[in-house]
Amino acid sequence: QEQLVESGGGLVQAGGSLRLSCAASGIIFRVSAMGWYRQAPGKQRELVAVITASGSTNYADSVKGRFTVSRENAKNTVYLQMNSLKPDDTAVYYCAARRFTLEAGMSPNYWGQGTQVTVSS
């Protein structure tokens, strides 16, 4: 659980941007697909973005075109750039890792503690 540490959450106005970061263990990171989940009060947990070890990406329809996931392997860090934020994006965002692939319905091997993102109207 301490292998993944998120940062970058906060309060932002609708239409604004935030970039989340997730620092990971290099041993796990290099062979893992990395994912970003979010969970809002009263809503189901949602897998919003995935990036594989080779750099291919996948996004939930709810964030496609607004969010971009990337990774910087030399720093063992994955990012989630969130643009055009909406109040419905308000949630706790979690970084997760799974060897070797990660898709909806799979259970990650590792979870971060989460970072709060709040979007005001």
Side-chain angles (χ1 to χ4, degrees):
Q1 292 179 312
E2 294 296 321
Q3 284 198 357
L4 307 179
V5 181
E6 302 98 334
S7 62
L11 175 64
V12 65
Q13 299 278 344
S17 298
L18 285 173
R19 189 176 77 159
L20 306 183
S21 299
C22 174
S25 166
I27 295 173
I28 302 301
F29 186 84
R30 284 182 280 113
V31 298
S32 294
M34 305 295 298
W36 287 96
Y37 293 79
R38 67 184 182 186
Q39 188 159 30
K43 296 183 179 179
Q44 200 167 21
R45 185 177 63 197
E46 179 184 25
L47 177 61
V48 299
V50 172
I51 184 165
T52 69
S54 63
S56 63
T57 59
N58 198 12
Y59 300 92
D61 289 340
S62 58
V63 306
K64 193 172 297 182
R66 300 188 298 119
F67 291 10
T68 302
V69 63
S70 62
R71 63 196 295 159
E72 190 170 357
N73 290 339
K75 292 185 176 181
N76 299 328
T77 301
V78 63
Y79 305 95
L80 185 67
Q81 178 67 46
M82 305 185 295
N83 299 326
S84 302
L85 283 163
K86 307 173 181 179
D88 285 347
D89 295 320
T90 296
V92 177
Y93 284 73
Y94 298 91
C95 180
R98 185 180 187 274
R99 299 188 304 171
F100 299 88
T101 62
L102 179 57
E103 299 175 1
M106 295 181 175
S107 297
N109 300 126
Y110 301 97
W111 289 93
Q113 294 300 115
T115 185
Q116 176 70 47
V117 172
T118 302
V119 184
S120 65
S121 59

